[in-house]
Amino acid sequence: MKRVVSLLLVLMMAVFALAGCGGGGSDSGDGGSGGDSSEPVSVDSLKTMGDILALELEESQWAVYNGKVVYAFKLGDGYYRATGTISEEDAQAFYDIDFSDEDYEAQQEAILGPIAIDNMEDLSDQILTQDEMDALVGKTGQELQDAGWTFSGHDLEEMVFWMNYGPFMYSVYFDGEVAEADYETFEDEAGTKDLTVTKVEFNMLGDATNIE
């Protein structure tokens, strides 16, 4: 039986964000998503978190923690991260929102929307180039871990692991194979440390709301 561990970015990262742990999600949960914005929007025109929330974004994630609201998103061909300051009172009100409420998203947006964007970063130049990804072929899983790569999930049948590096996620393929009987007990870090990379592909936003 094929064993796939999902990225779980939408649900898991949304929980982290709402718990104040600096998570996020990709394309939806954490801040919503949809298709590309129908009208061209300049990132310079975005002044509040509400301006971002109003967009239909292909990829987005947000987090509220340590007095900050962090919103990472894709706009056009670029990737950006907006940061704003939230008061303790508003942050607590945000954490107190009940997910069982039908209008919980509206409650979230009511708190986050007015918050001014203090800083807008262009993350696009942090995406590894094709040459940089190709240079990882032949390295071991341990070497990637030592360089700061972290795991977010895997498909053991295809031997592809979704790994975070900087603010982005990549699909990293390893040689070798895992017996189906070992799927349930397989641990990414230990299981790949001696395997070698065969291919790396850019995926999407990864741990992009972590600014600590």
Side-chain angles (χ1 to χ4, degrees):
M1 180 185 74
K2 182 175 181 179
R3 170 67 174 174
V4 177
V5 176
S6 170
L7 305 183
L8 294 177
L9 286 178
V10 175
L11 297 179
M12 288 177 59
M13 301 293 269
V15 170
F16 293 153
L18 294 174
C21 296
S26 184
D27 188 18
S28 73
D30 314 51
S33 69
D36 288 326
S37 180
S38 58
E39 295 292 334
V41 176
S42 167
V43 70
D44 294 332
S45 70
L46 305 176
K47 304 302 181 184
T48 67
M49 293 298 170
D51 291 339
I52 304 175
L53 290 166
L55 300 175
E56 294 184 356
L57 297 168
E58 181 179 344
E59 295 178 41
S60 65
Q61 59 179 243
W62 48 257
V64 177
Y65 63 103
N66 293 345
K68 297 291 183 182
V69 177
V70 186
Y71 206 124
F73 59 98
K74 180 181 181 181
L75 183 61
D77 294 328
Y79 287 88
Y80 304 91
R81 180 165 58 203
T83 307
T85 303
I86 188 170
S87 68
E88 290 186 14
E89 180 180 17
D90 284 345
Q92 189 59 56
F94 182 81
Y95 300 146
D96 289 342
I97 293 173
D98 189 341
F99 283 122
S100 66
D101 292 344
E102 292 186 358
D103 66 340
Y104 79 90
E105 289 184 340
Q107 295 180 54
Q108 292 173 341
E109 293 182 10
I111 295 172
L112 299 183
I115 294 176
I117 296 172
D118 298 329
N119 187 44
M120 181 72 78
E121 302 171 76
D122 188 341
L123 303 176
S124 304
D125 61 357
Q126 296 186 47
I127 299 173
L128 296 182
T129 65
Q130 188 61 56
D131 285 344
E132 288 172 325
M133 289 188 285
D134 291 344
L136 297 172
V137 173
K139 291 186 178 296
T140 65
Q142 187 63 61
E143 287 178 301
L144 263 60
Q145 293 178 55
D146 291 344
W149 290 71
T150 59
F151 292 89
S152 289
H154 59 235
D155 177 346
L156 294 178
E157 184 172 281
E158 300 296 331
M159 288 302 290
V160 57
F161 294 76
W162 298 292
M163 300 187 69
N164 299 303
Y165 185 71
F168 296 104
M169 178 177 291
Y170 300 82
S171 296
V172 181
Y173 294 79
F174 285 93
D175 63 0
E177 60 183 43
V178 178
E180 187 173 330
D182 297 329
Y183 281 5
E184 294 293 339
T185 58
F186 185 86
E187 296 183 357
D188 292 341
E189 290 82 358
T192 61
K193 66 184 183 67
D194 295 323
L195 301 181
T196 57
V197 176
T198 61
K199 181 171 64 172
V200 179
E201 297 175 334
F202 175 73
N203 200 320
M204 59 183 176
L205 285 169
D207 190 15
T209 58
N210 184 3
I211 59 174
E212 297 183 324

Short mmCIF file of all heavy atoms in Angstrom, two decimals, residues 2 30 45 63 75 77-78 85 110 120-121 124 137-138 160 192:
data_model
loop_
_atom_site.label_atom_id
_atom_site.label_comp_id
_atom_site.label_asym_id
_atom_site.label_seq_id
_atom_site.Cartn_x
_atom_site.Cartn_y
_atom_site.Cartn_z
N LYS A 2 0.50 2.16 -0.82
CA LYS A 2 1.29 3.38 -0.90
C LYS A 2 1.13 4.17 0.38
O LYS A 2 0.03 4.36 0.88
CB LYS A 2 0.79 4.21 -2.09
CG LYS A 2 1.58 5.49 -2.29
CD LYS A 2 1.12 6.19 -3.56
CE LYS A 2 1.90 7.46 -3.79
NZ LYS A 2 1.51 8.14 -5.01
N ASP A 30 -4.43 29.63 6.42
CA ASP A 30 -3.85 30.65 7.27
C ASP A 30 -4.24 32.04 6.85
O ASP A 30 -4.15 32.97 7.60
CB ASP A 30 -2.33 30.58 7.23
CG ASP A 30 -1.86 29.19 7.38
OD1 ASP A 30 -2.35 28.33 6.64
OD2 ASP A 30 -1.01 28.96 8.21
N SER A 45 1.48 48.98 -3.34
CA SER A 45 0.18 49.56 -3.01
C SER A 45 -0.43 48.95 -1.76
O SER A 45 -1.44 49.44 -1.25
CB SER A 45 -0.79 49.37 -4.18
OG SER A 45 -1.15 48.00 -4.32
N ALA A 63 0.93 34.17 10.30
CA ALA A 63 1.11 33.78 11.69
C ALA A 63 1.02 35.01 12.57
O ALA A 63 1.32 36.13 12.13
CB ALA A 63 2.47 33.10 11.88
N LEU A 75 2.53 36.88 -5.17
CA LEU A 75 1.77 37.86 -5.93
C LEU A 75 2.41 37.95 -7.31
O LEU A 75 3.57 38.35 -7.43
CB LEU A 75 1.78 39.22 -5.24
CG LEU A 75 0.95 40.32 -5.91
CD1 LEU A 75 -0.53 39.93 -5.96
CD2 LEU A 75 1.12 41.65 -5.18
N ASP A 77 4.52 36.81 -10.10
CA ASP A 77 5.65 35.87 -10.11
C ASP A 77 6.56 36.04 -8.91
O ASP A 77 7.59 35.38 -8.82
CB ASP A 77 6.48 36.07 -11.39
CG ASP A 77 5.70 35.68 -12.64
OD1 ASP A 77 4.87 34.76 -12.55
OD2 ASP A 77 5.93 36.31 -13.70
N GLY A 78 6.19 36.93 -7.99
CA GLY A 78 7.06 37.21 -6.85
C GLY A 78 6.52 36.67 -5.54
O GLY A 78 5.32 36.43 -5.38
N THR A 85 2.71 45.11 13.39
CA THR A 85 2.71 45.01 14.85
C THR A 85 1.28 44.91 15.36
O THR A 85 0.41 45.67 14.94
CB THR A 85 3.38 46.25 15.47
OG1 THR A 85 4.71 46.37 14.95
CG2 THR A 85 3.42 46.15 16.98
N ALA A 110 -11.31 40.97 10.89
CA ALA A 110 -11.64 42.23 11.56
C ALA A 110 -10.50 42.70 12.45
O ALA A 110 -10.28 43.91 12.62
CB ALA A 110 -12.92 42.06 12.38
N MET A 120 7.93 45.20 4.26
CA MET A 120 7.58 44.29 3.16
C MET A 120 8.88 43.79 2.54
O MET A 120 9.69 44.57 2.05
CB MET A 120 6.74 45.00 2.10
CG MET A 120 6.33 44.12 0.93
SD MET A 120 5.05 42.90 1.37
CE MET A 120 3.58 43.96 1.37
N GLU A 121 9.10 42.48 2.60
CA GLU A 121 10.30 41.88 2.05
C GLU A 121 10.00 41.14 0.76
O GLU A 121 8.97 40.48 0.65
CB GLU A 121 10.89 40.86 3.03
CG GLU A 121 11.25 41.38 4.39
CD GLU A 121 11.62 40.23 5.32
OE1 GLU A 121 12.75 39.69 5.18
OE2 GLU A 121 10.80 39.84 6.15
N SER A 124 11.79 36.56 -3.23
CA SER A 124 12.00 35.81 -4.48
C SER A 124 13.45 35.42 -4.71
O SER A 124 13.73 34.32 -5.23
CB SER A 124 11.49 36.63 -5.66
OG SER A 124 10.14 37.00 -5.49
N VAL A 137 22.61 17.37 -5.72
CA VAL A 137 22.59 15.96 -6.12
C VAL A 137 23.89 15.28 -5.67
O VAL A 137 24.98 15.80 -5.89
CB VAL A 137 22.41 15.83 -7.65
CG1 VAL A 137 22.55 14.36 -8.08
CG2 VAL A 137 21.06 16.38 -8.07
N GLY A 138 23.74 14.14 -5.02
CA GLY A 138 24.91 13.41 -4.51
C GLY A 138 25.18 13.66 -3.04
O GLY A 138 25.93 12.91 -2.41
N VAL A 160 10.30 10.72 -2.32
CA VAL A 160 10.35 12.17 -2.38
C VAL A 160 10.00 12.72 -1.01
O VAL A 160 9.05 12.26 -0.36
CB VAL A 160 9.41 12.75 -3.46
CG1 VAL A 160 7.97 12.31 -3.24
CG2 VAL A 160 9.51 14.28 -3.50
N THR A 192 16.98 9.10 6.29
CA THR A 192 17.61 9.63 5.07
C THR A 192 19.05 10.07 5.27
O THR A 192 19.70 10.49 4.30
CB THR A 192 16.82 10.85 4.54
OG1 THR A 192 16.82 11.89 5.54
CG2 THR A 192 15.38 10.47 4.20
#
